[in-house]
Amino acid sequence: MRDGVGWWPPVVKGGLLGYQPAVTAQPAVDPETQRIGVATRDGVLHSLSPVNGKTEWEFKTNSRFFAGVTIDQGVVYVPGGDGILYALRAATGEKLWEYKAGEELVTSPVVKAGRVLVASQGDTLYVGDTATGKWMWQYRPVQEVLLARLSRFARILYKLSPSDLGESTTEKLTSSPHCRP
């Protein structure tokens, strides 16, 4: 304790590149358990106790994180710098599924109407099914659009009805020469 404040233990040990911040992505709070999901520069997702900050479980990826996780309905969606979107059970860290995008994922996932959306370093927006991780569709704009900030897409998506993210959207968007179904 320092000045009457208890300090949580560090989640990343010092060492190589110790001058860089340990947490390079925004943390997320599980609304059900209040656990804190922290993605660190060493490619490890930590689920921290809200009481004492101790790690309750960890999940190792193959690369550092460029964006924070999203926790929704007991599932942690993890955008890996290794180009893989992982879905983990929030209570245990058990892997439910993974989707290999093949490009560094650089935005926190957006979850809406049974779909998970995440953007890559290569300016591609990927859309998958939240239950299975099955790829639904993707979009890569022609213009020089930086998708590193998905907030613009999130605002649009939150205005859509659930049916707008279903098969009809796939049909509409796949007619574009820049979209692969």
Side-chain angles (χ1 to χ4, degrees), residues 12-22 41-42 64:
V12 176
K13 307 298 183 240
L16 183 64
L17 301 176
Y19 57 87
Q20 291 186 344
R41 71 165 182 249
D42 57 359
R64 69 183 304 151

Side-chain angles (χ1 to χ4, degrees), residues 83 101-107 117-127 135 137-150 152-153 176 178-180:
E103 301 177 316
E104 295 172 335
L105 300 177
V106 296
T107 64
L117 299 92
V118 66
S120 73
Q121 184 68 29
D123 293 341
T124 302
L125 174 67
Y126 293 94
V127 179
W135 172 76
W137 51 269
Q138 68 190 47
Y139 175 74
R140 181 177 291 210
V142 176
Q143 308 92 333
E144 292 294 321
V145 178
L146 179 61
L147 296 180
R149 304 232 185 253
L150 196 52
R152 185 168 34 144
F153 289 102
S176 164
H178 309 292
C179 184
R180 288 189 328 189

Side-chain angles (χ1 to χ4, degrees), residues 17-179:
L17 301 176
Y19 57 87
Q20 291 186 344
V23 179
T24 55
Q26 180 175 336
V29 176
D30 183 344
E32 294 174 18
T33 65
Q34 302 305 305
R35 286 188 185 136
I36 302 146
V38 178
T40 54
R41 71 165 182 249
D42 57 359
V44 178
L45 171 64
H46 304 266
S47 178
L48 305 179
S49 164
V51 176
N52 59 17
K54 291 189 178 176
T55 299
E56 296 191 358
W57 58 259
E58 294 179 337
F59 182 80
K60 176 82 173 129
T61 66
N62 298 314
S63 181
R64 69 183 304 151
F65 289 98
F66 297 100
V69 301
T70 297
I71 305 172
D72 186 69
Q73 297 184 6
V75 178
V76 182
Y77 298 94
V78 183
D82 56 4
I84 301 173
L85 176 63
Y86 302 92
L88 311 175
R89 191 172 314 283
T92 63
E94 169 194 4
K95 183 166 66 171
L96 301 172
W97 53 258
E98 67 179 43
Y99 172 72
K100 295 180 181 177
E103 301 177 316
E104 295 172 335
L105 300 177
V106 296
T107 64
S108 295
V110 172
V111 178
K112 177 75 173 176
R115 304 290 187 253
V116 57
L117 299 92
V118 66
S120 73
Q121 184 68 29
D123 293 341
T124 302
L125 174 67
Y126 293 94
V127 179
D129 182 77
T130 56
T132 64
K134 180 183 175 212
W135 172 76
M136 303 297 291
W137 51 269
Q138 68 190 47
Y139 175 74
R140 181 177 291 210
V142 176
Q143 308 92 333
E144 292 294 321
V145 178
L146 179 61
L147 296 180
R149 304 232 185 253
L150 196 52
S151 62
R152 185 168 34 144
F153 289 102
R155 284 195 302 272
I156 294 167
L157 290 170
Y158 277 99
K159 293 178 182 175
L160 297 175
S161 69
S163 63
D164 291 332
L165 293 173
E167 294 303 317
S168 63
T169 301
T170 304
E171 292 167 11
K172 290 176 199 170
L173 291 174
T174 55
S175 63
S176 164
H178 309 292
C179 184

